[in-house]
């Protein structure tokens, strides 16, 4: 396993050198600083997200650690307009009105936004954030947040039944199915690929406005699932801004999946520029075989200590 990891790492470094030749890097800010619980460890996951963007040679990444929602925002005044994309790795209940307004202006004026996993749990009572994410879960969301959204008979469907939002079963590998193969983020990816052990989010609710689902996963009732094809990767239009929302990525091991890495790198380029120039790596997972980066997985000390990634 270790040997395969080094082979993949060498490939990543080669592609990084190729991409960095003579182009101006895309300026990206990763916003972190809060989570719903210790199970979402942004101190571990932010360096992984940063590395995955930087190794392409295309992105210049700044980490902005915001105070937690009940913290002191009096000296927190980031200049979001400096960035072409913001990656949200932050999950808190609320932000001050001034910061919310600045964030809304940033995206509606054409700023790119990438929403990773539990960042769609954040801000249940901030309507415009929910317009940006399209769908979200937990934090007492219910039918007031919007309908449930899922994939049925070849298209996006919704269900306005009352009920809570957000659920997942045990962390097992699962297949991700492409639903929009012509979208620049998805172009060249296999129609079906196996994601490593991760939380398969289901019963997410939200306005779903200007939202396009790029990929889904079948939520298996034998693993507390809905029996539906749940949205995994989405794009949303908010004003002039582009949003890429991935529900994948619970922990470092989930982030080490080559499928996650590739869609995250391509999604970040797309929200910033409207184009994708990155190639799909040859190590991309197949329909029945996972593919993950050992050098990334090892960024979690639990992995190094031999803790099983399977739960
Ligand atoms: Zn999670």
């Amino acid at each position: 396993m270790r040997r395969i990891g080094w082979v993949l790492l060498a490939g990543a470094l080669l592609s990084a050198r190729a991409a960095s030749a003579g182009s101006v890097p895309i300026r990206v800010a990763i916003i972190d600083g809060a989570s719903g619980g210790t199970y979402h460890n942004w101190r571990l996951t932010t360096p992984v997200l940063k590395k995955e963007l930087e190794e392409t040679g295309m992105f210049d990444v700044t980490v902005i650690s915001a105070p937690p929602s009940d913290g002191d925002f009096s000296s927190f005044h980031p200049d979001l307009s400096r960035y072409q994309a913001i990656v949200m790795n932050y999950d808190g209940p609320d932000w001050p009105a001034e910061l919310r307004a600045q964030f809304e202006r940033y995206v509606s004026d054409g700023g790119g936004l990438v929403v990773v996993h539990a960042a769609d749990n954040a801000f249940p009572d901030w309507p415009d954030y929910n317009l940006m994410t399209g769908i979200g879960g937990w934090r007492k969301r219910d039918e007031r947040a919007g309908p449930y959204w899922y994939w049925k008979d070849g298209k996006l469907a919704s269900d306005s039944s009352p009920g809570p939002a957000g659920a997942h079963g045990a962390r097992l590998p699962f297949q991700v199915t492409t639903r929009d193969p012509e979208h620049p983020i998805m172009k060249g990816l296999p129609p079906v690929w196996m994601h490593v052990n991760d939380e398969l989010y289901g019963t997410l609710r939200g306005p779903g406005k200007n939202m396009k689902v790029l990929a889904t996963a079948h939520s298996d009732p034998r693993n507390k699932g809905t029996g539906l094809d749940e949205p995994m990767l989405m794009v949303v239009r908010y004003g002039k801004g582009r949003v890429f929302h991935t529900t994948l990525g619970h922990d470092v091991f989930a982030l080490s999946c080559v499928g996650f890495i590739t869609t995250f790198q391509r999604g970040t380029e797309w929200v910033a520029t409207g184009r994708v120039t990155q190639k799909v790596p040859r190590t991309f997972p197949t329909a029945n075989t996972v593919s993950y980066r050992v050098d990334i997985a090892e960024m979690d000390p639990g992995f190094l200590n031999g803790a099983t990634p399977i739960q």
Side-chain angles (χ1 to χ4, degrees), residues 104-246:
E104 289 170 16
R105 255 193 323 274
Y106 163 80
V107 183
S108 63
D109 286 354
L113 175 64
V114 177
V115 177
V116 178
H117 190 62
D120 71 16
N121 299 188
F123 312 130
D125 302 319
W126 176 6
D128 282 79
Y129 186 75
N130 288 269
L131 282 170
M132 295 174 203
T133 59
I135 49 176
W138 293 276
R139 294 196 180 277
K140 299 187 179 149
R141 279 179 175 83
D142 59 17
E143 57 275 15
R144 289 167 299 178
Y148 296 112
W149 294 92
Y150 53 96
W151 193 265
K152 197 179 178 203
D153 299 330
K155 58 181 194 301
L156 191 58
S158 64
D159 174 357
S160 298
S161 307
H168 62 77
R171 296 207 294 280
L172 301 172
F174 56 85
Q175 283 183 323
V176 176
T177 301
T178 299
R179 299 300 184 180
D180 192 342
E182 291 306 312
H183 191 278
I185 297 172
M186 305 305 287
K187 204 148 185 157
L189 265 59
V192 180
W193 52 275
M194 189 66 84
H195 181 44
V196 300
N197 308 62
D198 199 351
E199 293 172 345
L200 194 165
Y201 273 10
T203 67
L204 300 182
R205 315 191 67 129
K209 204 174 159 191
N210 301 323
M211 177 174 78
K212 222 186 223 190
V213 171
L214 304 185
T216 62
H218 186 71
S219 175
D220 188 344
R222 290 171 299 181
N223 185 18
K224 298 189 203 156
T226 57
L228 298 170
D229 291 323
E230 300 285 352
M232 296 289 112
L233 306 178
M234 287 138 274
V235 290
V236 181
R237 172 66 75 164
Y238 177 84
K240 291 185 204 152
R242 285 178 291 268
V243 182
F244 172 63
H245 176 177
T246 175

Side-chain angles (χ1 to χ4, degrees), residues 29-31 34-35 40 42 45-46 48-50 52-53 86-91 113-122 129 133 135 198-199 201 232-234 243-251 254-255 260 263-265 267-268:
I30 300 177
I31 298 184
S35 70
H40 289 137
W42 51 269
T45 54
T46 290
V48 172
L49 297 171
K50 185 170 190 285
E52 291 178 354
L53 293 180
I86 289 174
V87 175
M88 279 298 266
N89 189 29
Y90 183 102
D91 170 22
L113 175 64
V114 177
V115 177
V116 178
H117 190 62
D120 71 16
N121 299 188
Y129 186 75
T133 59
I135 49 176
D198 199 351
E199 293 172 345
Y201 273 10
M232 296 289 112
L233 306 178
M234 287 138 274
V243 182
F244 172 63
H245 176 177
T246 175
T247 64
L248 309 176
H250 169 78
D251 58 7
L255 299 177
F260 173 87
T263 49
F264 173 61
Q265 292 167 333
T268 305

